[in-house]
Amino acid sequence: MAQSLRESSTHNWRTFNRHYVSEISGSLGDLGTFLPIAIALAVNGTVSLASTLIFSGIYNILTGLFFGIPLPVQPMKAIAAVAIARSFSNGSIAAAGIFVGACILVFSVTGLLRWFTNAIPIPVIKGIQVGAGLSLLISACGSMLKPLGWTGPSWADNRIWAIVAFLALIITNIYRRVPYALAVLGVGLIFAIIRTTLAGHMPGFEIWHPHTVVPTPHQWRVGALDAGIGQIPLTTLNSIVAVVHLSHDLLPDVRTPSITHIGLSVAGMNLLGCWFGAMPVCHGSGGLAAQYRFGARSGASVIFLGVLKLVIGLLFGETLVDLLKRFPAAFLGVMVIAAGLELLSVGESLNTTGARDLEQVGGTIGHTGQHLGPLLTDEERKRRWTVMMVTVGLLVGFKNDAVGFIAGMLCHWTYEIPGWWEKGHTRWSEGRLRLH
């Protein structure tokens, strides 16, 4: 543990010292998903915005220190969706987060999480990642950008600004050193401050006063059954399994966190913060892709973000709700699109040495050592692609990670049937020969 912490700290400091602008810009990449959900829950009184900022800031700092990668702290989306639709009380959403945290803790400690991960084929994992990317794109375009008019709902938030932000995003695909997220957040914050000032609702100093949330028996039942159970597959697949594989794909030179450690991290965050009214959170592949896309390469990025959240939450608390509500959805939507596109790109490496199960497979040409790549037949490539796309299609179509996962596994197992039959037949024949 001490050795790992020293390695992470060294990597964080070296990276931030050399590329501090990129690290700061990358730290803001996941705000496109964090802010809308946190604001929606805070407006309804379902969570405390101050507690959410403070505890998520603490989690950002700790994960940055221990893992050394830009690991995001995201809302638990399935729980958030149910809580918003049904106007959950703070006790019900706390119960949901604590329930999921307890389940993930059991899975991690018993080794079930690690066994489950080792049993999932790479095409299904990449299907979950690509499906998450498509889901982000659909969500950004459908719920954040589509409702905008050409000049409304505000001079600072409309389709024109969305087009400007998208064109800037395309340009920064070429000039990657431009701190896109930092620039967009800065302009969006200026717009939000102007709009809030005109409305006469500027934030003020409000020192955080912690309070505990103890769910009643009824809230335990509602939170666990109506929201918690649906979150478990999403957390396991997208927030733990997909995150570990994506961190290996994006940051191969940095120590990849173990499945168990990520699981314990998710469990610990919710078993602590939800008792104080904080939003249930997890790690997500979409957030990791977003922060990587905007320049983050180490844990220093999320440490910076964590300190920022912590200070703002402690000093301003709930008074920030009106300001954050006026942050342009046009900018947030385009940032979410960027995260989705980054996640989609991981599917390209399915049949190359970028896939973890093919890294050690391949050959070289003569004495040159030129790598040929994985030795897959056309049929094998087609099967792997089909399994991934079945996972993607059903995940996006049903808007459910568990459905996509089950469909992908069934497709994978179907392709394995001839091999199983041949092995069984061979063993049966060998048994008969021994008898004779």
Side-chain angles (χ1 to χ4, degrees), residues 174-377:
I174 302 172
Y175 304 100
R176 287 270 178 161
R177 291 192 174 184
V178 176
Y180 177 86
L182 188 59
V184 167
L185 187 75
V187 174
L189 196 56
I190 292 171
F191 286 178
I193 291 172
I194 294 173
R195 294 176 64 193
T196 308
T197 303
L198 294 175
H201 297 293
M202 280 300 292
F205 284 103
E206 182 179 281
I207 304 300
W208 179 56
H209 298 287
H211 66 280
T212 57
V213 176
V214 181
T216 65
H218 173 72
Q219 290 170 338
W220 278 113
R221 182 183 63 80
V222 172
L225 298 181
D226 295 358
I229 290 177
Q231 179 67 48
I232 291 174
L234 180 60
T235 295
T236 304
L237 296 170
N238 186 50
S239 302
I240 300 175
V241 177
V243 160
V244 170
H245 283 265
L246 185 63
S247 66
H248 178 270
D249 291 341
L250 297 180
L251 301 162
D253 297 328
V254 184
R255 182 196 296 267
T256 301
S258 72
I259 290 290
T260 301
H261 287 159
I262 295 294
L264 291 174
S265 176
V266 171
M269 290 190 298
N270 293 285
L271 292 176
L272 173 62
C274 291
W275 293 105
F276 294 90
M279 176 176 64
V281 292
C282 59
H283 306 302
S285 56
L288 177 57
Q291 291 172 166
Y292 180 89
R293 165 61 183 82
F294 293 123
R297 296 295 184 273
S298 77
S301 60
V302 289
I303 292 173
F304 172 84
L305 178 63
V307 172
L308 194 63
K309 285 181 181 178
L310 189 57
V311 172
I312 292 174
L314 286 171
L315 298 182
F316 295 98
E318 311 299 333
T319 68
L320 286 168
V321 173
D322 286 326
L323 174 66
L324 296 178
K325 279 169 59 179
R326 290 177 171 83
F327 193 95
F331 293 162
L332 292 176
V334 175
M335 290 176 71
V336 174
I337 286 176
L341 293 175
E342 192 68 37
L343 260 181
L344 286 176
S345 67
V346 305
E348 181 270 337
S349 63
L350 173 67
N351 291 323
T352 71
T353 49
R356 179 177 288 193
D357 59 338
L358 300 180
E359 285 180 334
Q360 306 302 323
V361 183
T364 56
I365 301 177
H367 300 290
T368 64
Q370 182 180 352
H371 193 70
L372 289 171
L375 302 178
L376 295 176
T377 65

Side-chain angles (χ1 to χ4, degrees), residues 130-168:
V130 173
L134 279 175
S135 296
L136 285 175
L137 285 172
I138 294 170
S139 174
C141 296
S143 62
M144 301 177 78
L145 299 180
K146 188 176 180 180
L148 298 176
W150 287 105
T151 57
S154 165
W155 62 268
D157 192 13
N158 50 55
R159 290 182 184 176
I160 295 175
W161 282 117
I163 292 172
V164 171
F166 184 71
L167 290 174

Side-chain angles (χ1 to χ4, degrees), residues 121 123 380 383-384 387 408-424:
E380 288 171 333
R383 288 182 177 183
R384 288 168 64 88
V387 171
M409 291 301 297
L410 289 174
C411 183
H412 170 75
W413 288 332
T414 301
Y415 282 131
E416 294 292 309
I417 288 175
W420 294 341
W421 173 263
E422 184 176 343
K423 287 180 181 178

